[in-house]
Amino acid sequence: MSADAAKVKLELTAKHFASDQDPRWCPGCGDYSILAQVKKVLAKIEAKRENTVFVSGIGCSSRFPYYVGTYGFHGIHGRALAIAVGIKVAQPELSVWVVTGDGDGLSIGGNHLLHTIRRNPDINILLFNNRIYGLTKGQYSPTSPLGKKTKSTPMGSVDFPLHPLSVAIGAEATFVARSIDVNVKHLAYVLERAARHKGASFVEIYQNCNIFNDLAFEYATAKTTKDETTIYLEHGRPLVFGKDRNKGIRLDGMDPEIVELGDGITEDDLLFHNEKQEEPSLAYLLSRMRHPDFPEPMGVFRCVERPVYEDLVMDQINEASRQQPGRLEDLFDEGETWIVE
Amino acid sequence: MSADAAKVKLELTAKHFASDQDPRWCPGCGDYSILAQVKKVLAKIEAKRENTVFVSGIGCSSRFPYYVGTYGFHGIHGRALAIAVGIKVAQPELSVWVVTGDGDGLSIGGNHLLHTIRRNPDINILLFNNRIYGLTKGQYSPTSPLGKKTKSTPMGSVDFPLHPLSVAIGAEATFVARSIDVNVKHLAYVLERAARHKGASFVEIYQNCNIFNDLAFEYATAKTTKDETTIYLEHGRPLVFGKDRNKGIRLDGMDPEIVELGDGITEDDLLFHNEKQEEPSLAYLLSRMRHPDFPEPMGVFRCVERPVYEDLVMDQINEASRQQPGRLEDLFDEGETWIVE
Amino acid sequence: MVVSTRLNGAQPRCVEVISLGETTVRFAGDSGDGMQLAGTQMTTTSAIFGNDVSTLPDFPAEIRAPAGTLAGVSGFQLHFGSHRLRTPGDRVNALVAMNPAALSANLSDLEPGGVLIVNEDAFTKMDLSRAGYSADPLENRSLDGYQLFRVPMGKLTAEACKDTGLTGRAVGRCKNFFALGLVYWLYDRPLAPTLRWIEQKFGSKPVVADANIKTLKAGYHFGETTELFTVRYEVAPAKVPPGKYRRVSGNEALAIGLITAAQRAGKPLFYGSYPITPASDILHFLAKHKNFDVRTFQAEDEIAAMTATIGAAFAGAFAVTGTSGPGMALKSEAIGLAVMTELPMVIVNVQRAGPSTGLPTKTEQADLLQAIWGRNGENPVCVLAAATPADCFDMAIEAFRIAIGFMTPVVLLADGYLANGAEPWRIPDMDSLPRLDVKHPGPVEGFKPYQRNDKLVRPWALPGTPGLEHRVGGLESRDITGEVCYEPENHEHMCRIRRRKIDNIAEAIPPLEINGDDSGELLVIGWGSTYGAITSAVERCRKKGMSVSSAHLRYLDPMQKNVGDVLRRFCRVLVPELNLGQLAYRLRAEYLVDATGFHKIQGKPFTISEIEAEIAKRLNK
Amino acid sequence: MVVSTRLNGAQPRCVEVISLGETTVRFAGDSGDGMQLAGTQMTTTSAIFGNDVSTLPDFPAEIRAPAGTLAGVSGFQLHFGSHRLRTPGDRVNALVAMNPAALSANLSDLEPGGVLIVNEDAFTKMDLSRAGYSADPLENRSLDGYQLFRVPMGKLTAEACKDTGLTGRAVGRCKNFFALGLVYWLYDRPLAPTLRWIEQKFGSKPVVADANIKTLKAGYHFGETTELFTVRYEVAPAKVPPGKYRRVSGNEALAIGLITAAQRAGKPLFYGSYPITPASDILHFLAKHKNFDVRTFQAEDEIAAMTATIGAAFAGAFAVTGTSGPGMALKSEAIGLAVMTELPMVIVNVQRAGPSTGLPTKTEQADLLQAIWGRNGENPVCVLAAATPADCFDMAIEAFRIAIGFMTPVVLLADGYLANGAEPWRIPDMDSLPRLDVKHPGPVEGFKPYQRNDKLVRPWALPGTPGLEHRVGGLESRDITGEVCYEPENHEHMCRIRRRKIDNIAEAIPPLEINGDDSGELLVIGWGSTYGAITSAVERCRKKGMSVSSAHLRYLDPMQKNVGDVLRRFCRVLVPELNLGQLAYRLRAEYLVDATGFHKIQGKPFTISEIEAEIAKRLNK
Ligand SMILES: Cc1ncc(C[n+]2csc(CCOP(=O)(O)OP(=O)(O)O)c2C)c(N)n1
Ligand SMILES: Cc1ncc(C[n+]2csc(CCOP(=O)(O)OP(=O)(O)O)c2C)c(N)n1
Ligand code: SF4
Ligand code: SF4
Ligand SMILES: [Mg+2]
Ligand SMILES: [Mg+2]
């Protein structure tokens, strides 16, 4: 099969995951690109439509399930994760994806994020971070930077933002990653990694809302700046970045610092990425590297194994059933009984 | 003034902060000790009863406000922090304390914790962690360890716990500390530090629930073990612990390890605590040191400055009023008007 | 064995035996005194003996108040009789008080002239003052209006345990068996069931078993031999339908009913809940029965519990969430999502006294209109209410029958009184249980998720089925196809369909039955846990010749088709409720009938006589 | 200046002038076509001209649907007349359609024979197909039933801008001014107000200003000179009370009212809210007015917004939270806490079409019984509803008057139609504004937080005041002292007091007024935003001689004291509502009056004629 033929096949299969609804995002919205990559990855991992469920809350991003030809659940604001956990516990074999926004997932739904992450069910959580409330037409969100002027903050926001990955690592997530809507190859890579991880995979996707928060991530996407403002994580590799890949991140105690390679500093002096490090402090530290002080890490921050929630639930059920198969007669007879004649 | 006289004065003043209600916790509950220390610290910092408000949610711990002779608000389950923020924004000059439990503050109230911490209002948050739901008579809580058998988990909990300090640091708290109910001196020290910090001070207090989770912290309180299972943080000092203070914590890359002092290893090789480190990764790493793998750090993990929420709110109001004092006539006349004669 | 010396009937001394049709005994003591145990033992014994029984525990609001204080008093009330009983008894005929606080907290419920047995050893200066007594009530004639029996239970228990090897505080903990033995003698109860229980329970601790047995017998013998008691009571067995019985509380019955429904349908049972008094015991019960494929999910809050339940229903489980009032309020937004997606599930609200946190351990019926109206938009669900503890079993199954039959969330209301109250439950025959047949569509072409059947019910298509891939959500859906639809007419159509579908349930439920004549001067109509008090009161009034009947609603939305008819056949309608008039409001709005309320909102159930008196008043008797 | 050539009255060609009492114009186009701007300009111009006006924007549900699609159509409807208007008009008399999608989406609302002005340049193949047309409606006679005017607005606009220096896409964006100019000519509107506005708005961009001015005038002249139009309309000024006016939408009026209330009391205004359509604009408005000591708090969710509002009330601010239906459901548990703690605050619910997410941008009135009953326990609050956009100002102040006068949360209901609809508002005289006097207790000995005055109102004691230290909470409090209290009688007492306190509000509000005769055959009674349609319909029917009156409820709980009386003075009662009968339910339950509903639940307001027809039907006319 020629490369072209393979491509054709792949695209056909991506179409296989389209629904009969036309997406209704604004022209130019970053959500389109993410949708395309998700469908491609579904094809690549050979997902079955009937065994896949997309769950969301409310927001522009949360319209996502309508556009995927699998099962779908468009929930209420902030609750996608709890719906997803219910689905997973009822039918552990389903492949469950959650699409949420920075408002949906971190504002009203922040608590479910913490608790779902700690329970570690095998679901894939995609948080489309556009640093704004899109659907309600432009209020600041929990990820909007301090001082951000929006409809609800005409003098600038006074709320210090939350950083999704730091929060997820605060809850000790087993899989944490980041990508950007327009970097489609990397996005597809990260999505595939998330899909293949057994446990709760948390992916933050920088997404441009060209209507209410245009260019929020320009620093990380513009040709002229992106090499200096982002750094791509590779497992086992040193943290190198820059147009000429001549800069790196070194640790000074617990503080990361940017250094130039050469002049006595080699890659060996740099921080080496280890996504499998049990101790999540490294992932936390990476999540703290932020523009403009640091290049922002992209890729898989952390990927470790931990038993998944629905397995533990089913283990207990199986164990209990093994010890004493459930018979209604026994249930009725529990405790003391007496016979009246 | 003799030491005794001073002590008498201090105790009198602690009484000054008692209410007319008798505490109704179970005899032996750790909450009593915390109440005593809080009252003592209120006296020590010369708090004014009328300018102090204690706010809580629901739980055994949340009965706290009834026992303090200041203003008090016993809220609903999980919402103490939001109530407190409302109070603070309405009257920034009040001193506001929040008392919450591991269920109240981390289960139903987890989201408010994240958002309050990130906003950084000047309030003191005391989370009484007894790793159980006390008031509802003994279900596991988000801090209960995996496998914990409780009324709602007869076969053991399958939920990986949250760790309050890690969560708080995930939200980049400006003040994070930990103490234990029975270690009254240290508790008083930490409470005083929390009170004096300008910003949201988050304090986890290990609290024994002798009815539903007795001895959960025995490792950290028993004479025979506590020196090995806890480590007291001091700003600028190396992390030394052990009965003979002959052990320490050293960093191996980003992994902490326990080392014995001597044999070539000196205090200088150890990790030095720096509560003022801007970068919270150190605090995060400390929050990850857990029994039985590590001695658990006690004391102030992190204490940094950041503008406080209510000040920023009031700054904007003052600035707006300075630019154009609010006159109703102007408000009514905004936009286009016309006159009908 | 000593027990063989028990002289049934033949009295060693001259003791008068009074026969009672029914009687009420309350055990009261400190939380640590084992009163719940004594009470349940006597209940089982009486049930085995053949009485009808009804019970109510009374827990202190505090977890563990300091010993000896009023806040720490724990009580257990048992009503037993030789005929059908429906409540734990209006007034206490005999009170056992293990300490001054228990006396102080319970005396007002004891009938004048009632039997009062006190553990006089506990009437020390310190305990008197802890209970707020300035003078010793045993000494100052303040108890003259009762038949006071002072029993040095502490000493006598110590005596009984002397040779058992039991020592120290453990001896003190046997006191409840002394009290129990004494009461057994007083009411001529057999010791055997309790002896059996002790042997089973403490089989591995023979010293404890021995001490408890000796103490129980010592109590019994104390009654028999001391001159203190000159009267003894007997309560003959009742005529109860034959069968195998056990005692169930409402929460137990409800949980058993949920498991039964799921098992009869061959489905996993999903229970998503956040602990809250008085609903938590359902979670505890279910978590202990994972061998029935029960998947309990202790959520981070009620909203997660509710939405996880919706997810589980979408994925095909028999999905339930349970809570109490404040939690119900939190679920309200999400229940709307369940209504929109037309998924089957059961939402249990074990009501407690509100508003807000209210009196969390006390009972009330004030969430009815919340259940019906407490959501945004036109948001109809089916609302049911259980009438007695054992009825919780039937209503749990009924809730699922309706939920799956009509693809709708069903709210099942219970309350604190039902939850903790207990009554004998005739264990049903397996064959008598309804079979709940669930039909899921198989793979088809051109599947339409909102294509309805003649009852307006849409199909329950399960993820995992090829070809049925579809999407549901909280936005308005186009009928039949289920896609998002902003068209005005479709919205009106769907709002009306959702309402009509609920109304259609009325076709699938039995008509309202009348207790008493079909028409007359006064109809007393109620719902939920007031059933026992209302029915008994009406029976008493009818015996006195009053023209009164009663009816009890288990279906609150929709109501049964004949409710309007029934109401209109009576001159007046009285609605006793543990609220300020919510069912009355509903009946008035629906049927324009001048139903007037009788309200009690004290965290306590109605007594029979309260309702009796109100009936008489309404009939000007 | 060119404008001076405007030949008022004297027509250069033979044009018939028709006088209208009122008329309705709708501008419709793509979201990017500037229709909202054209509409508001014409509104202001008409108001300044002296007409009464009422308007309604119609936003697309999607943020930015692809250009040219149906989903992207944005509309603005203006009703103006020479007498009192109360609605934005039932049917459209003249429609301006800027593209095929706008035509397709709006044509059904245009009256038969109505004026239809289309931008024919936009009827390209691509745009036709985007709008779902298979054939060009301008060509296939499908529009024969209307007065169709095909105007090449694109070309004419380009022409007009030719010498201004404006180029490219910016020229296209002037098209709305061409349409506006043409419509101004058609209805004989003065250009001056819009010219002034353009100059102000684009003062710093003279090129843009110049282009817009030229285009506006070109549109006007196109009407004047082209042979296309043979008829022109005039709508004489209305007799409106003298005074200074501005246009307000309901959300603006509500926000202004809140600020006014706080300012009149010398209090900070706290507004805790989580964004939600259609309530968000209140937050936006308030956030822009921090110079009035407005402290806006965009919370993490509605529960935080509600509880922060409770905290702010406790600390003495004028505390408000605002939301829409789903958010209201989320707040319900916390509202109970506000009820228990008896703190004053205002809870705004700008209702939208439910249930669940429903039709989030559409209007509905289906949260009335949620407001009254949607909480656990006996949980009464005061419930008010605004009747018109400008009435939102008065009701916001009234809500605070009651909240602080009775120490109670007050729910103020508006809806999407009021929120976005606009009408002229006579700017009140400062002296005519109520002064809201708040009294906080000063330092006293033995302060009792639940000591009530004769209206059962407890004091509002502020943290910061020495000697008043006290604690409040969600557990039941003992009356007077406020300490936690589990006593049964106290609970009943407090439940009844909380209800009675709300009932007492009826003593402090004006009686219900009747529009029409005091008695008669039919009373039409409504609440909220249906005011305009009901009142106008009843007036029309009365003119036709029917025996019908109307009354409008702004107070829903408690209702005014004379409501029962009013209802009973009519043979029949009709209750039009944008729900399935919630006020009707309440009236029936409360007064046992056979009030029957007339329902519309399509996300849209009633038209006057719908209600007119229903009245006629009910009166068998
Ligand atoms: C209970 C509730 N509160 C508020 C809303 C209004 N609302 C809808 S989406 C949204 C936020 C959207 O922001 P985000 O999650 O970041 O999604 P985006 O639109 O940016 O993709 C809000 C506040 C709602 N639908 N339900
Ligand atoms: C909305 C709501 N849900 C549930 C409850 C029941 N409830 C009261 S306290 C509590 C948990 C208490 O645990 P924690 O916060 O750890 O406090 P502790 O009693 O252990 O001090 C729960 C679940 C409630 N009061 N309100
Ligand atoms: S508003 Fe922003 S996030 Fe929403 S669809 Fe438009 S561009 Fe995308
Ligand atoms: S149950 Fe536990 S936490 Fe609660 S008062 Fe008793 S000992 Fe303390
Ligand atoms: Mg967003
Ligand atoms: Mg706890």
Side-chain angles (χ1 to χ4, degrees), chain A residues 23-27 32 58 60 63 75-77 79 103-104 107-109 133-137 139-141 150-155 159 211-212, chain D residues 59-67 71 274-277 280-281 283-285 287-290 296-303 330 356-357 360:
Chain A
R24 292 232 179 141
W25 292 302
C26 306
Y32 285 101
I58 299 283
C60 294
R63 294 289 174 97
I76 47 176
H77 197 32
R79 317 303 172 189
D104 192 67
S107 191
I108 190 167
Y133 287 179
L135 191 70
T136 48
K137 308 195 175 174
Q139 300 82 14
Y140 76 118
S141 89
T150 69
K151 276 199 188 143
S152 54
T153 50
M155 299 180 74
D159 302 31
I211 301 299
F212 295 111
Chain D
F59 304 115
E62 318 299 328
I63 305 292
R64 286 278 190 288
Y274 185 69
I276 186 166
T277 307
S280 311
D281 281 337
L283 172 63
H284 306 158
F285 188 99
K288 272 195 301 215
H289 290 87
K290 294 199 205 279
T296 56
F297 171 61
Q298 180 175 316
E300 54 271 28
D301 64 15
E302 284 85 353
I303 302 175
L330 279 174
S356 194
T357 314

Side-chain angles (χ1 to χ4, degrees), chain A residues 106-107 110-111 115 118-119 155-156 159-160 162-163 169 172 255 277 279-281 284 288 290 316, chain B residues 106-107 110-111 115 118-119 155-156 159-160 162-163 169 172 255 277 279-280 284 288 290 309 316:
Chain A
L106 266 188
S107 191
N111 202 33
H115 286 272
R118 78 176 174 103
R119 291 193 186 105
M155 299 180 74
D159 302 31
F160 190 86
L162 284 176
H163 294 88
I169 297 165
E172 301 174 26
D255 284 331
Q277 183 149 6
E279 175 51 44
S281 298
Y284 181 79
R288 288 269 317 157
R290 291 173 198 158
Q316 291 197 342
Chain B
L106 267 188
S107 191
N111 202 33
H115 287 272
R118 78 177 173 102
R119 291 192 186 105
M155 299 180 73
D159 303 31
F160 190 84
L162 285 175
H163 293 87
I169 297 165
E172 302 174 27
D255 284 331
Q277 183 149 6
E279 175 51 44
Y284 181 78
R288 288 268 318 156
R290 291 172 197 158
Y309 184 70
Q316 291 197 340

